[in-house]
Amino acid sequence: MPTILRPRRLAVAVVATVGALCVSVLPAAATQQSPPAKAAAHPATGSPTTGATTPFEVYEAETGTPTAGAVVRSLTSAPTTQYSSAALEASGHSYVHLDGTGQSVQWTNTTGRPISFLNVRASVPDSASGGGTTATLNLYVDGVFRQALNLNSLQSWVYEGNGNYNTSDNQNPADGDPRVFWDESHTFVTGSPIPAGATFSLRKDSADSASFYDIDSVDVENPPAPQAQPANSISITSCGAVADNNPTNGAADSQSVDSRAAIQNCIDQAEQQGKILWIPQGTFYVKGTAGLNAQGITIAGAGLWYSTVYRDVPVPNSTPLAALFDLTSCTVRDFHIDANAVSRSTIGGDGGAMDTTGTDWLADGIWTQHTMSGFWASGTGGTVKNSRLTSVWADGINVNNVSLGADTGNDLTVTDNFVRGTGDDAIAINSVNYNTNSDGSKTYYNPMTNVTVSDNTSIAPWGGKGVGIYGGSGHQVKDNYISDTARYIGLGAGRFGVNGSDLLSATVTGNTVVRSGGNAYSQGQPALHIGNGGDGQNVGTVDKVTVTGNTVTDSLYDGIGFSTSTSTLLQDNTVNSPGRNGISVSPPFYPAPTGSATITGNTVTGLAPGTSAFVDNSTGFTATLSDNHWPPPAPEGPYGGTPAAVPGTVQAEDYDTGGQGVAYNVTSVNGNANSYRADGVDLDNTSDTGGGYNLGWTGAGQWFRYTVDVATAGTYTLGLRVAAPSAVTGALHLSDASGTNLTGAVDLPATGDWQTWSTVTTRVTLPAGRQVLTVDQDTGGWNINYLALAASTDVPSTDPAVQVDLGSARSASRVVLQLPTTFTTLKQAA
């Protein structure tokens, strides 16, 4: 059968520092902030007009009151590394850290209802050798101990150092660079519910054995009573399934009974008799590597708080896994799926929760955790709604045209779902053009059409987008709330990979994208993106994407980015406080050598110094602008506001401000020094003495301007600090503001590597005063760290140099020089 390709990421470069953390200590008497109702939700959970309507409310830890020395830790600047951190993967990019006995974080129940159920998103340390630990943390209500909550790190803490970047299999702490910090644990409140107006807190007491507890958020609700078994149904217990109600806490109960055969037997009976399959209260284990198969029936539980099917796979595992449920034209509702998987791979025991196809299928009220994917679904007329997906290893909801051997994915709907903490895209429309079979042949699929993704909440994916649109036509992505991507684009409209379908039309409207974008592979990705290349493959057609009425706030890098795409309409969108530029054509690593867009009626506010509302780094992309509302472009000026002094050193990374076509001209932007220059242009971390950054990715026709103050007119020795793997003839020249060539062509020797440095010396004559110098790149293939300008020691600064060229070796008894009267001193050049 064909190999189904799921989204993967393309590796490029590695850097080594981490985004800044801010630690603030709030006094115990500080005014408490609790999340209000849905109509004015906290920014990490939703907005008044976008996102899912849920029966629970999310209390972010940073909006509570830390006590007894507990601190809030927050991401305060865009990451300078491609690696993760606890703050980067946290919702709101903030959390509360407890590391001392008696420390807590406290909230007030402002829901107006009692709270009888809690779901805590937290992180506790890994074990010294990897594989995780378990620990308790205590719940207090109005200052009185209520119960100990079970937490664990058995299904978190994987490591990317030592060549493991962007994998989730390595559990060796010695390799460093951890990721997947957060997991979620839920429980009913012991005793009476927490009344409206009461305080409740999570506190580290002496018996709570973890060295620290990081608290990200807690979901609070008051679930309805369990549903009764419906008429015309078969209970899985009648076929021999046995419930095991011991808490799993990250691992299976070794005493549990395998109910797989009993459940499958009941499924077969339900299919034959036209009945509903009933999953009563309790946790029912499916052990081993086989799953369950159903066709044309309804599978129902007592509620996602009460009925659980738990997949227990022997780990390490060597058998490729199908999903727990393979479903064709089925309805599933009101139960919970969990698993013991410890990574996104076969060896970690990870299979999908539900692979679905057929017609008019429905998934309603399903809570999925710790599986490879929540829904991997194709077919026609299917719907996923009112579901929760938390701590899922890969995609949350992936609607496609390949699941279970299908070739279509039309008229599918994903609505009113809550997705948090996924290892790949929280929600994806994934139209595959072809897959390659084991014999090298290809299986082709029908492009997807008319998929609707609406009113969903996607929070804190640690390994993918909030919503990804990959190919097809006629899609509607509207009124979703997307926040806190750790590494990738928040909302992307494009095509996936070389085997993906072209995207021929889509409407993206009314969505809210907050604190999104990321620095995976040191790329500085935008929060909202239109065009190909969103998966690292700059191929395929992206056409007729309409992007209207969206709000992008606090993006880590550019707010909205364009790569190659045609006939895009970007209208009436708002970009607030972008980390870099507001709207960017051809941002770093997302080239747009061709394309077109109409950009009208958009608003950009809150720009940081050195950034622009709109930048166009492409000479071949036609952007038609009208009636937009943003500050005018900044005029050219010296970086940092003060011209570089001559004599002195001009750092190559300190080119003027003013943007593309004014301060510099580049044909692509691939730099990774995102924390230094907001435009993301062609800078790299240098290994040269003194560190800092160098200018790279050189190419014919590119140029960079530098404003300098020359103390004294004269001839200066120009030392160019350069690196070039191979010799470059005619690499560059220096020109003045009028374009006059000041140096002639400068050749560069081979230094042996991009970060092996040498100084090439020439001369340049400059007038006194402020002026603009341009480094013109005539031939690429080299890096430059700085320009050192020193007064010449062998030729007077006020007199012209005199050179005598006899053409060849000659014998002479005397040479007479007739000097101009302006000469005052003569020195012999070496």
Side-chain angles (χ1 to χ4, degrees):
M1 64 179 295
T3 300
I4 296 174
L5 298 183
R6 304 191 185 211
R8 295 291 188 268
R9 309 299 173 196
L10 177 67
V12 286
V14 177
V15 286
T17 55
V18 182
L21 286 176
C22 172
V23 178
S24 58
V25 180
L26 302 182
T31 302
Q32 182 172 328
Q33 301 178 37
S34 297
K38 172 73 174 177
H42 185 274
T45 61
S47 82
T49 58
T50 60
T53 299
T54 65
F56 60 90
E57 294 186 31
V58 181
Y59 283 16
E60 289 293 319
E62 63 270 22
T63 69
T65 302
T67 69
V71 297
V72 173
R73 291 182 172 174
S74 301
L75 191 76
T76 58
S77 63
T80 59
T81 172
Q82 61 181 347
Y83 293 99
S84 292
S85 67
L88 191 61
E89 292 186 6
S91 60
H93 287 163
S94 296
Y95 62 94
V96 170
H97 179 75
L98 315 177
D99 62 8
T101 299
Q103 291 182 353
S104 72
V105 57
Q106 177 178 290
W107 305 267
T108 297
N109 177 7
T110 58
T111 65
R113 303 179 301 277
I115 297 171
S116 60
F117 187 89
L118 303 176
N119 181 60
V120 178
R121 190 170 199 248
S123 175
V124 296
D126 197 1
S127 64
S129 58
T133 61
T134 60
T136 57
L137 183 65
N138 289 336
L139 171 68
Y140 285 76
V141 178
D142 284 334
V144 178
F145 172 79
R146 178 63 67 88
Q147 69 196 87
L149 307 181
N150 291 318
L151 304 178
N152 74 85
S153 56
L154 304 181
Q155 296 174 284
S156 54
W157 292 94
V158 298
Y159 300 90
E160 297 184 279
N162 198 23
N164 292 288
Y165 185 68
N166 207 24
T167 67
S168 63
D169 295 327
N170 182 23
Q171 294 182 298
N172 181 15
D175 286 330
D177 295 313
R179 74 188 301 204
V180 195
F181 298 90
W182 305 99
D183 199 3
E184 306 198 14
S185 300
H186 55 263
T187 184
F188 279 94
V189 174
T190 299
S192 60
I194 302 169
T199 64
F200 62 101
S201 59
L202 300 177
R203 190 169 96 177
K204 173 177 165 54
D205 289 328
S206 58
D208 299 325
S209 59
S211 60
F212 68 82
Y213 296 81
D214 290 336
I215 310 301
D216 184 27
S217 61
V218 56
D219 308 337
V220 300
E221 59 186 312
N222 188 34
Q227 298 183 42
Q229 181 174 348
N232 194 37
S233 65
I234 302 173
S235 172
I236 61 174
T237 57
S238 70
C239 299
V242 178
D244 181 321
N245 296 322
N246 293 322
T248 55
N249 199 27
D253 179 11
S254 60
Q255 304 303 311
S256 61
V257 173
D258 181 12
S259 294
R260 194 204 70 81
I263 297 173
Q264 186 63 58
N265 184 24
C266 257
I267 289 173
D268 296 342
Q269 292 183 39
E271 289 178 356
Q272 294 164 7
Q273 300 172 28
K275 291 186 176 181
I276 297 169
L277 181 76
W278 171 246
I279 304 173
Q281 292 186 66
T283 298
F284 298 90
Y285 278 77
V286 172
K287 296 190 174 187
T289 58
L292 302 165
N293 299 276
Q295 183 168 348
I297 64 170
T298 293
I299 303 174
L304 53 79
W305 311 270
Y306 305 107
S307 300
T308 297
V309 180
Y310 189 94
R311 187 170 207 178
D312 178 13
V313 176
V315 174
N317 171 51
S318 60
T319 302
L321 300 173
L324 173 60
F325 286 94
D326 280 359
L327 304 171
T328 301
S329 303
C330 288
T331 292
V332 291
R333 64 164 70 103
D334 300 328
F335 60 95
H336 177 233
I337 294 174
D338 203 350
N340 69 323
V342 295
S343 75
R344 177 189 173 165
S345 68
T346 297
I347 195 172
D350 207 359
M354 291 185 173
D355 283 6
T356 298
T357 193
T359 58
D360 299 327
W361 52 263
L362 172 66
D364 185 358
I366 303 296
W367 188 353
T368 304
Q369 295 183 275
H370 304 124
T371 60
M372 165 75 87
S373 57
F375 299 95
W376 185 261
S378 62
T380 302
T383 298
V384 182
K385 67 178 184 179
N386 302 324
S387 293
R388 307 182 196 184
L389 301 103
T390 57
S391 297
V392 172
W393 282 106
D395 295 314
I397 304 170
N398 186 307
V399 289
N400 55 69
N401 56 345
V402 294
S403 179
L404 294 181
D407 64 359
T408 57
N410 303 327
D411 301 308
L412 305 175
T413 300
V414 179
T415 187
D416 226 26
N417 302 286
F418 181 90
V419 189
R420 180 174 56 205
T422 58
D424 211 312
D425 296 334
I427 300 172
I429 303 169
N430 182 21
S431 184
V432 179
N433 181 24
Y434 68 86
N435 276 319
T436 303
N437 307 312
S438 59
D439 63 0
S441 64
K442 290 182 172 64
T443 299
Y444 286 86
Y445 307 90
N446 298 308
M448 296 177 70
T449 60
N450 302 329
V451 175
T452 298
V453 175
S454 65
D455 300 289
N456 301 283
T457 295
S458 297
I459 295 177
W462 50 263
K465 299 180 180 68
V467 174
I469 309 167
Y470 304 110
S473 62
H475 306 320
Q476 300 277 332
V477 176
K478 57 185 181 180
D479 300 330
N480 301 284
Y481 180 86
I482 300 157
S483 74
D484 306 307
T485 55
R487 291 188 169 180
Y488 293 95
I489 292 160
L491 196 166
R495 157 183 158 150
F496 184 80
V498 295
N499 69 321
S501 302
D502 291 334
L503 179 61
L504 300 182
S505 64
T507 299
V508 178
T509 185
N511 302 282
T512 299
V513 184
V514 181
R515 293 180 300 273
S516 293
N519 204 33
Y521 303 108
S522 303
Q523 290 180 344
Q525 300 183 12
L528 193 158
H529 171 254
I530 306 103
N532 66 22
D535 59 346
Q537 304 286 342
N538 303 319
V539 296
T541 297
V542 177
D543 187 41
K544 297 182 179 63
V545 178
T546 298
V547 183
T548 62
N550 303 282
T551 301
V552 179
T553 300
D554 292 332
S555 60
L556 294 186
Y557 303 100
D558 295 319
I560 299 174
F562 287 90
S563 59
T564 300
S565 50
T566 51
S567 302
T568 302
L569 173 62
L570 188 75
Q571 183 174 17
D572 298 335
N573 302 280
T574 299
V575 178
N576 298 315
S577 302
R580 198 158 62 192
N581 302 301
I583 299 170
S584 178
V585 175
S586 191
F589 297 95
Y590 291 86
T594 61
S596 62
T598 299
I599 301 173
T600 182
N602 302 284
T603 299
V604 178
T605 67
L607 288 169
T611 64
S612 302
F614 176 78
V615 295
D616 187 349
N617 297 314
S618 170
T619 58
F621 190 102
T622 302
T624 303
L625 278 64
S626 66
D627 196 32
N628 295 293
H629 313 289
W630 54 55
E636 182 183 3
Y639 180 74
T642 303
V646 174
T649 298
V650 180
Q651 294 292 337
E653 66 267 29
D654 291 343
Y655 51 86
D656 284 356
T657 58
Q660 167 72 12
V662 176
Y664 60 83
N665 177 64
V666 294
T667 56
S668 64
V669 281
N670 298 310
N672 54 31
N674 297 305
S675 64
Y676 188 74
R677 292 298 296 262
D679 50 38
V681 168
D682 292 356
L683 300 185
D684 197 5
N685 297 276
T686 186
S687 63
D688 197 10
T689 302
Y693 307 96
N694 63 260
L695 189 67
W697 289 276
T698 50
Q702 298 190 149
W703 48 261
F704 289 82
R705 294 162 67 99
Y706 301 85
T707 300
V708 299
D709 268 338
V710 179
T712 305
T715 299
Y716 289 82
T717 299
L718 172 62
L720 301 166
R721 189 66 171 171
V722 295
S726 302
V728 183
T729 301
L732 69 120
H733 70 276
L734 194 69
S735 60
D736 63 16
S738 65
T740 300
N741 189 328
L742 301 177
T743 61
V746 178
D747 300 335
L748 303 183
T751 67
D753 188 77
W754 295 106
Q755 290 295 326
T756 300
W757 296 91
S758 181
T759 300
V760 172
T761 302
T762 185
R763 289 178 182 165
V764 60
T765 300
L766 301 174
R770 179 171 294 192
Q771 54 198 283
V772 176
L773 304 177
T774 301
V775 174
D776 291 283
Q777 300 175 7
D778 301 311
T779 305
W782 47 277
N783 290 343
I784 182 167
N785 191 10
Y786 56 78
L787 300 80
L789 289 139
S792 288
T793 59
D794 57 349
V795 178
S797 60
T798 57
D799 290 334
V802 176
Q803 300 181 11
V804 178
D805 185 355
L806 301 179
S808 63
R810 304 285 182 92
S811 297
S813 60
R814 185 175 63 148
V815 175
V816 178
L817 299 179
Q818 294 182 339
L819 302 176
T821 57
T822 56
F823 254 73
T824 58
T825 306
L826 176 64
K827 292 185 179 180
Q828 180 179 336

